[in-house]
Amino acid sequence: MSEVMSNGVMSEVMSAEALMPSKKLSARGWMRANLFNRWYNAVLTLILALVIAYLGFRSIRYLFWTAEWEPVRANLTLFMIGSFPRDEQWRVVVQLLLLAAAFGVIWGSMIGASRDRAAQSGSPFSAEPGWVALRRWWGLVLLLGVLLLAAWGILPLVLAFGCIALIFMLRRIAMRLASKVRIYAWFGGYVLLIASWQIVSGTGGSAWFWAAGLLAFWGIRTVRKKDLTPRLPLTLVAIVGGGAVAWAIYTFILNGLINFSGVGWDNWSGFHLNLIAATISIIAAFPLGLILALGRRSSLPAIRWLCVTYIELIRGVPLIGLLFIGNSLLGFFIDNDPFIDFFLDTPLSQISRAIVIMSLFTAAYLAEVIRGGLEATPRGQTEAGQSVGLSPWQITSRIVMPQTLRASIPAIVGQFISLLKDSSLLSIIAVSEILRVRASVHSQGAFTTLGTAETLVFIAFAFWAFAFTWSRESQRLEKHLGVGER
Amino acid sequence: MTKIDPDADNGANRGKAGRAMIDFESVNKFFGNFQALKDINLAIDEREVVVVLGPSGSGKSTLIRCVNKLETHDSGRITVDGVELTNDMRGIRHVRRNTGMVFQQFNLFPHLTVIDNITLGPRQVRRMPKAEAEDLAVSLLERVHIPEQARKYPGQLSGGQQQRVAIARSLAMEPKVMLFDEPTSALDPEMIKEVLDVMKELAVTGITMIVVTHEMGFAREVAQRVVFMDEGEIVESNTPDEFFENPQEDRAKLFLSQIL
């Protein structure tokens, strides 16, 4: 340091740096250098300080003194799960625990996988400690804190900390697994996810579908691991065969044996429904969006125009209009259709229709997001693939798509966030999601006029906590995957 | 295969006697109204190393990109190893399988490790088992002098290393023809040599090579023939010694006076 200071030029640089905020300055010095360095800046600082202080004072006074939180506190369960049957509530509790377990396993496996990749390519890797992640998710943690405070009981507290403990315990175990057994961890995570779904919905109808997924997963893995060729047809066989076998087992062998009836999703409501509807919609929309994006770039005019028409039609209509259309029109198309009746035991309920519409809507937007990613992949990548003799399909699936999806992740998460917020529109077609629940809260005698603003603030806060956390996560993922740097 | 005597024939009709690996017959190529290739007649023998020179915009890159049909010619005939390039996808893929190409911008696949970049072609196109393909990749990486980089991602390598991986990737298909489209133009000067060295080693193995480059030293040392292009035409085709010492055409003289 003294060497640097002895150099005349360097010491001048140092004195210029002294104007910048740095640890060397005291708080007083920093303020003098940055906030009060000119008379007009001092005036501005004072005015702004007054405005901020006033707003802060009013907000704090509102949040902690004048606001009527009683409607929120008294109806917390209603906001969260709405009209979900109360004697089946344990299912939601188990679902939360299963979700936490799945999350822990998958998270840990992801860390383990990237550690392996780093080790392979010889770059340094250090797993982020769990509490850093918790700090990053402060929005959700805050929501959890508010909920626990409002619920004020031992059971919610035990559940919350049980979930957190489960996440971090399983994460710790999963991230230490050797790479050879990691595949079973992924598998386990998948099973846990399905179980978390089935525990609430029951095994009726859709169980064979999930089993098909499992069998297909196993089949695809075998094809990959054993390096069987031709790969694509065999993979398709694995998927279709897995589905057929699962369906046969379910229908002919297990039918009646496993008849674990749950609460169908038509009885779901509250914020629980918002989250589930958004999740199902994004999962269903993703493959459709992918197909639409590829179709829009197809060299066959018929396919291209079909996709363009679909995308532009859907994007040109507001979601609320589509929801109304779905509510009244969709029934004409699919009720009493023998093909659809084969898959569905009962006619589509209102919620199912709404979810179908939301999926179709989101698919059009996802298609555009993915198309953007496709077009952003440099032409040289395709040419390099062509020059080694890859087929157009191989170029798309092996070279272009992986890069595209990686580059599209932030935008896809963005779609998911807006889908979650859009799920509040379901209230307009009389689906009892959280906003609809709020209306019923205020129809109770005690709360007709009390705290109508506060319930809205609470709902907004719940949406914000999820949206904010996801958006931060997607930014992190973007950096992590090295999007934008080649 | 007998070694071709570079002094045997200076004209564009070469290859009549031996077997022409690549044959251009009156090829024309347009980009809109701009004619990129004008009546190209060029035959390149098996095992021949040809360097294509010319000012920028002269159609050099277009010429070699027509060989594996990254560009489509508008008229005339192009035949590669006995297969004519038409709209038939199978013929095109056959030619591409037997033709390696190295690009100015490397065009490595950034989401795959070096070894996966190299094994992708053999495994997908030639259906080679994974273990065999990886053995091949390792031996090719040794050939381009970077076996230690196998598990890294392209982004972790220097430009020269990336270009050598790109060469290895092309060689993994065991091509009969290698096309080099300005392979050193995007490299820092200190990395040009390592790539040129690999190319020189490749040239003596008897593979057919077409190299578009501005490296005159490489052309003199390695090429059996220099093709000089200007404004979409082949202006002069000659041995490197003849071309550099005694260029026949005015445009070639002008080019050499500017570049040397």
Side-chain angles (χ1 to χ4, degrees):
Chain A
M1 206 59 197
S2 59
E3 276 178 28
V4 174
M5 291 307 280
S6 67
N7 183 324
V9 181
M10 282 311 273
S11 58
E12 260 197 38
V13 172
M14 293 303 282
S15 68
E17 268 179 359
L19 288 172
M20 306 286 191
S22 87
K23 280 182 185 169
K24 279 183 191 164
L25 284 173
S26 62
R28 210 190 154 94
W30 182 85
M31 281 168 66
R32 185 164 293 168
N34 291 284
L35 300 177
F36 298 97
N37 55 347
R38 300 275 189 282
W39 69 265
Y40 47 84
N41 280 347
V43 172
L44 273 176
T45 302
L46 281 176
I47 293 173
L48 269 176
L50 281 175
V51 170
I52 291 169
Y54 178 71
L55 288 177
F57 165 72
R58 289 302 295 248
S59 310
I60 288 168
R61 196 180 66 150
Y62 173 76
L63 285 176
F64 295 102
W65 282 281
T66 60
E68 288 290 348
W69 296 114
E70 188 54 23
V72 175
R73 206 195 54 75
N75 297 295
L76 206 56
T77 318
L78 208 57
F79 277 112
M80 289 299 117
I81 58 172
S83 57
F84 197 90
R86 286 298 179 269
D87 47 350
E88 302 278 3
Q89 239 181 51
W90 62 271
R91 290 177 190 277
V92 180
V93 173
V94 177
Q95 181 179 42
L96 278 177
L97 288 169
L98 286 170
L99 270 179
F103 181 54
V105 169
I106 291 172
W107 189 15
S109 304
M110 282 168 76
I111 294 174
S114 50
R115 186 197 53 212
D116 280 2
R117 268 201 307 276
Q120 230 182 25
S121 64
S123 45
F125 179 81
S126 59
E128 169 195 62
W131 58 269
V132 175
L134 274 189
R135 204 175 55 186
R136 219 169 50 230
W137 303 334
W138 67 270
L140 274 181
V141 172
L142 189 64
L143 176 65
L144 184 68
V146 167
L147 289 179
L148 287 178
L149 209 64
W152 201 252
I154 292 296
L155 209 62
L157 211 64
V158 169
L159 178 63
F161 283 96
C163 283
I164 293 174
L166 207 56
I167 289 174
F168 285 102
M169 214 172 63
L170 288 172
R171 168 184 179 268
R172 206 180 175 81
I173 294 171
M175 67 187 265
R176 290 181 180 186
L177 289 178
S179 50
K180 276 193 178 165
V181 284
R182 179 158 315 114
I183 186 73
Y184 300 106
W186 290 116
F187 200 68
Y190 178 74
V191 172
L192 285 168
L193 275 180
I194 293 171
S196 79
W197 165 267
Q198 295 286 326
I199 192 70
V200 185
S201 72
T203 53
S206 64
W208 70 269
F209 177 77
W210 301 116
L214 275 175
L215 280 175
F217 183 85
W218 173 76
I220 293 168
R221 180 175 146 68
T222 311
V223 170
R224 287 188 157 232
K225 200 177 177 187
K226 300 255 153 92
D227 218 10
L228 300 177
T229 51
R231 183 182 251 183
L232 185 67
L234 281 178
T235 306
L236 288 176
V237 166
I239 293 170
V240 175
V245 170
W247 178 76
I249 291 176
Y250 181 74
T251 320
F252 299 118
I253 303 172
L254 290 183
N255 200 13
L257 287 181
I258 300 184
N259 198 3
F260 173 62
S261 62
V263 176
W265 67 9
D266 298 334
N267 285 319
W268 301 359
S269 71
F271 198 52
H272 187 226
L273 175 64
N274 289 71
L275 290 171
I276 297 255
T279 310
I280 301 174
S281 303
I282 199 89
I283 291 171
F286 187 73
L288 184 59
L290 205 64
I291 292 168
L292 285 169
L294 290 173
R296 191 167 185 166
R297 286 162 55 95
S298 167
S299 52
L300 302 171
I303 294 180
R304 193 169 59 238
W305 284 112
L306 203 67
C307 292
V308 170
T309 310
Y310 177 85
I311 292 169
E312 296 307 331
L313 208 63
I314 297 280
R315 275 162 36 103
V317 180
L319 177 58
I320 189 69
L322 285 173
L323 284 172
F324 276 123
I325 292 172
N327 204 21
S328 48
L329 277 185
L330 204 58
F332 292 121
F333 286 108
I334 62 175
D335 283 354
N336 301 320
D337 183 307
F339 179 72
I340 288 171
D341 286 349
F342 176 78
F343 287 101
L344 297 173
D345 305 335
T346 50
L348 273 187
S349 66
Q350 200 162 26
I351 291 182
S352 319
R353 283 178 202 185
I355 288 176
V356 168
I357 293 294
M358 278 169 65
S359 310
L360 295 176
F361 177 80
T362 308
Y365 283 86
L366 276 185
E368 287 298 274
V369 165
I370 295 170
R371 185 174 70 107
L374 284 173
E375 261 149 41
T377 309
R379 221 178 106 74
Q381 291 289 312
T382 308
E383 289 182 348
Q386 286 172 336
S387 77
V388 289
L390 295 175
S391 70
W393 167 249
Q394 286 168 336
I395 291 171
T396 304
S397 65
R398 301 274 157 174
I399 298 172
V400 179
M401 252 316 150
Q403 297 183 49
T404 298
L405 293 184
R406 204 175 276 204
S408 317
I409 284 172
I412 291 172
V413 176
Q415 268 304 311
F416 186 35
I417 291 171
S418 72
L419 191 62
L420 175 70
K421 292 182 290 179
D422 284 350
S423 69
S424 58
L425 288 175
L426 295 182
S427 62
I428 297 177
I429 57 165
V431 170
S432 68
E433 53 69 67
I434 193 168
L435 273 178
R436 193 91 187 166
V437 167
R438 172 180 172 269
S440 68
V441 163
H442 289 298
S443 66
Q444 298 166 17
F447 303 127
T448 38
T449 53
L450 190 72
T452 46
E454 284 75 5
T455 48
L456 274 182
V457 169
F458 170 70
I459 291 170
F461 172 60
F463 277 111
W464 171 84
F466 277 91
F468 176 71
T469 308
W470 277 329
S471 120
R472 298 244 323 220
E473 261 328 89
S474 93
Q475 279 170 15
R476 197 177 146 266
L477 204 62
E478 186 176 0
K479 228 191 305 183
H480 182 69
L481 292 171
V483 177
E485 42 175 303
R486 301 191 65 86
Chain B
M1 198 74 212
T2 51
K3 185 94 179 86
I4 285 157
D5 180 3
D7 295 325
D9 186 355
N10 294 335
N13 291 332
R14 272 182 71 98
K16 283 260 170 75
R19 194 165 96 85
M21 179 59 94
I22 299 163
D23 196 9
F24 285 77
E25 286 174 56
S26 339
V27 170
N28 288 290
K29 164 78 187 165
F30 291 85
F31 290 113
N33 287 328
F34 174 73
Q35 187 165 8
L37 296 179
K38 292 175 189 160
D39 192 35
I40 299 287
N41 285 292
L42 178 68
I44 293 165
D45 280 335
E46 206 169 338
R47 304 170 76 95
E48 196 177 10
V49 177
V50 174
V51 168
V52 184
L53 299 177
S56 58
S58 60
K60 314 183 292 286
S61 286
T62 310
L63 180 82
I64 72 164
R65 284 164 64 86
C66 280
V67 174
N68 61 356
K69 210 155 188 203
L70 290 184
E71 303 288 354
T72 306
H73 56 286
D74 293 309
S75 66
R77 282 161 61 95
I78 301 176
T79 316
V80 181
D81 196 21
V83 178
E84 192 189 341
L85 288 173
T86 58
N87 286 327
D88 174 33
M89 204 54 216
R90 288 173 57 179
I92 295 169
R93 283 192 68 196
H94 176 84
V95 167
R96 284 177 180 164
R97 242 180 309 220
N98 294 312
T99 311
M101 186 161 202
V102 176
F103 300 87
Q104 184 178 354
Q105 299 295 340
F106 328 137
N107 293 349
L108 291 178
F109 308 129
H111 61 298
L112 299 177
T113 58
V114 163
I115 199 150
D116 289 340
N117 262 279
I118 299 172
T119 56
L120 184 67
R123 292 189 60 195
Q124 294 292 316
V125 181
R126 292 170 56 194
R127 300 288 172 199
M128 194 185 273
K130 188 177 178 186
E132 196 183 321
E134 294 202 337
D135 287 347
L136 173 69
V138 168
S139 70
L140 285 169
L141 283 173
E142 277 163 7
R143 204 161 139 191
V144 297
H145 315 301
I146 39 173
E148 70 282 0
Q149 314 286 2
R151 299 285 167 189
K152 288 194 180 167
Y153 285 89
Q156 294 171 294
L157 305 184
S158 72
Q161 290 172 330
Q162 288 191 49
Q163 193 60 298
R164 286 186 281 159
V165 172
I167 294 173
R169 178 177 68 182
S170 300
L171 291 176
M173 293 300 290
E174 290 169 359
K176 295 179 179 168
V177 179
M178 280 292 282
L179 308 169
F180 291 87
D181 189 2
E182 305 204 19
T184 55
S185 298
L187 294 176
D188 292 336
E190 72 270 22
M191 291 169 186
I192 291 177
K193 188 174 173 296
E194 63 190 47
V195 172
L196 289 182
D197 285 346
V198 167
M199 289 168 63
K200 283 175 197 166
E201 288 163 23
L202 195 59
V204 296
T205 62
I207 198 167
T208 311
M209 280 170 64
I210 310 183
V211 184
V212 172
T213 187
H214 296 290
E215 295 296 325
M216 296 303 149
F218 177 83
R220 264 175 197 257
E221 192 178 335
V222 179
Q224 289 157 6
R225 180 153 54 128
V226 169
V227 170
F228 175 72
M229 289 185 71
D230 192 20
E231 294 176 351
E233 296 170 307
I234 294 183
V235 177
E236 193 166 338
S237 171
N238 217 330
T239 62
D241 289 344
E242 276 293 305
F243 178 77
F244 285 110
E245 301 309 330
N246 188 18
Q248 302 297 312
E249 302 286 331
D250 288 345
R251 280 189 280 183
K253 285 176 192 161
L254 180 68
F255 174 74
L256 287 173
S257 71
Q258 284 166 342
I259 217 158
L260 293 177

mmCIF file of all heavy atoms in Angstrom, chain A residues 393-406:
data_model
loop_
_atom_site.group_PDB
_atom_site.id
_atom_site.type_symbol
_atom_site.label_atom_id
_atom_site.label_comp_id
_atom_site.label_asym_id
_atom_site.label_seq_id
_atom_site.Cartn_x
_atom_site.Cartn_y
_atom_site.Cartn_z
ATOM 1 N N TRP A 393 -33.717 -33.052 -38.014
ATOM 2 C CA TRP A 393 -34.276 -33.364 -36.698
ATOM 3 C C TRP A 393 -33.169 -33.470 -35.651
ATOM 4 O O TRP A 393 -33.308 -32.982 -34.532
ATOM 5 C CB TRP A 393 -35.084 -34.666 -36.769
ATOM 6 C CG TRP A 393 -35.414 -35.198 -35.429
ATOM 7 C CD1 TRP A 393 -34.921 -36.320 -34.836
ATOM 8 C CD2 TRP A 393 -36.305 -34.615 -34.456
ATOM 9 N NE1 TRP A 393 -35.432 -36.470 -33.585
ATOM 10 C CE2 TRP A 393 -36.279 -35.452 -33.323
ATOM 11 C CE3 TRP A 393 -37.091 -33.465 -34.441
ATOM 12 C CZ2 TRP A 393 -37.034 -35.171 -32.187
ATOM 13 C CZ3 TRP A 393 -37.834 -33.193 -33.301
ATOM 14 C CH2 TRP A 393 -37.805 -34.036 -32.201
ATOM 15 N N GLN A 394 -32.057 -34.106 -36.013
ATOM 16 C CA GLN A 394 -30.945 -34.222 -35.070
ATOM 17 C C GLN A 394 -30.381 -32.844 -34.748
ATOM 18 O O GLN A 394 -30.020 -32.567 -33.601
ATOM 19 C CB GLN A 394 -29.843 -35.110 -35.659
ATOM 20 C CG GLN A 394 -30.204 -36.586 -35.655
ATOM 21 C CD GLN A 394 -29.258 -37.422 -36.492
ATOM 22 O OE1 GLN A 394 -28.612 -36.914 -37.405
ATOM 23 N NE2 GLN A 394 -29.175 -38.700 -36.190
ATOM 24 N N ILE A 395 -30.308 -31.982 -35.759
ATOM 25 C CA ILE A 395 -29.791 -30.631 -35.507
ATOM 26 C C ILE A 395 -30.707 -29.901 -34.530
ATOM 27 O O ILE A 395 -30.260 -29.275 -33.574
ATOM 28 C CB ILE A 395 -29.664 -29.850 -36.832
ATOM 29 C CG1 ILE A 395 -28.547 -30.458 -37.671
ATOM 30 C CG2 ILE A 395 -29.390 -28.375 -36.576
ATOM 31 C CD1 ILE A 395 -28.473 -29.914 -39.072
ATOM 32 N N THR A 396 -32.019 -30.022 -34.758
ATOM 33 C CA THR A 396 -32.959 -29.344 -33.864
ATOM 34 C C THR A 396 -32.876 -29.898 -32.453
ATOM 35 O O THR A 396 -32.778 -29.154 -31.478
ATOM 36 C CB THR A 396 -34.395 -29.502 -34.394
ATOM 37 O OG1 THR A 396 -34.438 -29.008 -35.726
ATOM 38 C CG2 THR A 396 -35.376 -28.735 -33.539
ATOM 39 N N SER A 397 -32.900 -31.225 -32.316
ATOM 40 C CA SER A 397 -33.018 -31.804 -30.981
ATOM 41 C C SER A 397 -31.693 -31.818 -30.224
ATOM 42 O O SER A 397 -31.690 -31.752 -29.004
ATOM 43 C CB SER A 397 -33.584 -33.220 -31.078
ATOM 44 O OG SER A 397 -32.679 -34.057 -31.757
ATOM 45 N N ARG A 398 -30.582 -31.909 -30.935
ATOM 46 C CA ARG A 398 -29.292 -32.045 -30.248
ATOM 47 C C ARG A 398 -28.545 -30.736 -30.116
ATOM 48 O O ARG A 398 -27.716 -30.583 -29.225
ATOM 49 C CB ARG A 398 -28.386 -33.017 -31.015
ATOM 50 C CG ARG A 398 -28.946 -34.378 -31.163
ATOM 51 C CD ARG A 398 -28.598 -35.166 -29.958
ATOM 52 N NE ARG A 398 -29.524 -36.255 -29.816
ATOM 53 C CZ ARG A 398 -29.387 -37.193 -28.892
ATOM 54 N NH1 ARG A 398 -28.393 -37.131 -28.045
ATOM 55 N NH2 ARG A 398 -30.258 -38.152 -28.804
ATOM 56 N N ILE A 399 -28.764 -29.828 -31.060
ATOM 57 C CA ILE A 399 -27.930 -28.628 -31.088
ATOM 58 C C ILE A 399 -28.754 -27.383 -30.786
ATOM 59 O O ILE A 399 -28.435 -26.622 -29.872
ATOM 60 C CB ILE A 399 -27.234 -28.487 -32.458
ATOM 61 C CG1 ILE A 399 -26.321 -29.684 -32.695
ATOM 62 C CG2 ILE A 399 -26.435 -27.201 -32.513
ATOM 63 C CD1 ILE A 399 -25.736 -29.750 -34.075
ATOM 64 N N VAL A 400 -29.826 -27.191 -31.536
ATOM 65 C CA VAL A 400 -30.544 -25.913 -31.425
ATOM 66 C C VAL A 400 -31.411 -25.878 -30.167
ATOM 67 O O VAL A 400 -31.361 -24.934 -29.390
ATOM 68 C CB VAL A 400 -31.382 -25.660 -32.694
ATOM 69 C CG1 VAL A 400 -32.148 -24.365 -32.569
ATOM 70 C CG2 VAL A 400 -30.477 -25.612 -33.911
ATOM 71 N N MET A 401 -32.218 -26.944 -29.968
ATOM 72 C CA MET A 401 -33.168 -26.943 -28.853
ATOM 73 C C MET A 401 -32.492 -26.780 -27.483
ATOM 74 O O MET A 401 -32.937 -25.968 -26.670
ATOM 75 C CB MET A 401 -34.004 -28.209 -28.866
ATOM 76 C CG MET A 401 -35.436 -28.029 -29.287
ATOM 77 S SD MET A 401 -36.236 -26.607 -28.573
ATOM 78 C CE MET A 401 -37.377 -26.234 -29.857
ATOM 79 N N PRO A 402 -31.451 -27.558 -27.186
ATOM 80 C CA PRO A 402 -30.848 -27.377 -25.859
ATOM 81 C C PRO A 402 -30.398 -25.949 -25.608
ATOM 82 O O PRO A 402 -30.610 -25.400 -24.521
ATOM 83 C CB PRO A 402 -29.634 -28.319 -25.901
ATOM 84 C CG PRO A 402 -29.945 -29.329 -26.936
ATOM 85 C CD PRO A 402 -30.797 -28.628 -27.956
ATOM 86 N N GLN A 403 -29.827 -25.317 -26.636
ATOM 87 C CA GLN A 403 -29.375 -23.934 -26.451
ATOM 88 C C GLN A 403 -30.560 -22.989 -26.333
ATOM 89 O O GLN A 403 -30.536 -22.042 -25.556
ATOM 90 C CB GLN A 403 -28.495 -23.516 -27.626
ATOM 91 C CG GLN A 403 -27.230 -24.338 -27.733
ATOM 92 C CD GLN A 403 -26.339 -23.863 -28.856
ATOM 93 O OE1 GLN A 403 -26.058 -22.680 -28.980
ATOM 94 N NE2 GLN A 403 -25.887 -24.779 -29.690
ATOM 95 N N THR A 404 -31.590 -23.266 -27.127
ATOM 96 C CA THR A 404 -32.775 -22.409 -27.092
ATOM 97 C C THR A 404 -33.448 -22.445 -25.739
ATOM 98 O O THR A 404 -33.769 -21.410 -25.159
ATOM 99 C CB THR A 404 -33.783 -22.890 -28.159
ATOM 100 O OG1 THR A 404 -33.181 -22.755 -29.426
ATOM 101 C CG2 THR A 404 -35.047 -22.083 -28.100
ATOM 102 N N LEU A 405 -33.660 -23.666 -25.218
ATOM 103 C CA LEU A 405 -34.386 -23.786 -23.958
ATOM 104 C C LEU A 405 -33.599 -23.118 -22.847
ATOM 105 O O LEU A 405 -34.150 -22.446 -21.985
ATOM 106 C CB LEU A 405 -34.641 -25.250 -23.636
ATOM 107 C CG LEU A 405 -35.615 -25.907 -24.614
ATOM 108 C CD1 LEU A 405 -35.916 -27.326 -24.183
ATOM 109 C CD2 LEU A 405 -36.904 -25.117 -24.712
ATOM 110 N N ARG A 406 -32.288 -23.299 -22.878
ATOM 111 C CA ARG A 406 -31.451 -22.657 -21.880
ATOM 112 C C ARG A 406 -31.618 -21.148 -21.931
ATOM 113 O O ARG A 406 -31.775 -20.493 -20.913
ATOM 114 C CB ARG A 406 -30.007 -23.037 -22.172
ATOM 115 C CG ARG A 406 -29.110 -22.955 -21.003
ATOM 116 C CD ARG A 406 -27.755 -23.455 -21.383
ATOM 117 N NE ARG A 406 -27.667 -24.906 -21.290
ATOM 118 C CZ ARG A 406 -26.518 -25.540 -21.114
ATOM 119 N NH1 ARG A 406 -25.405 -24.857 -21.034
ATOM 120 N NH2 ARG A 406 -26.501 -26.842 -21.031
#
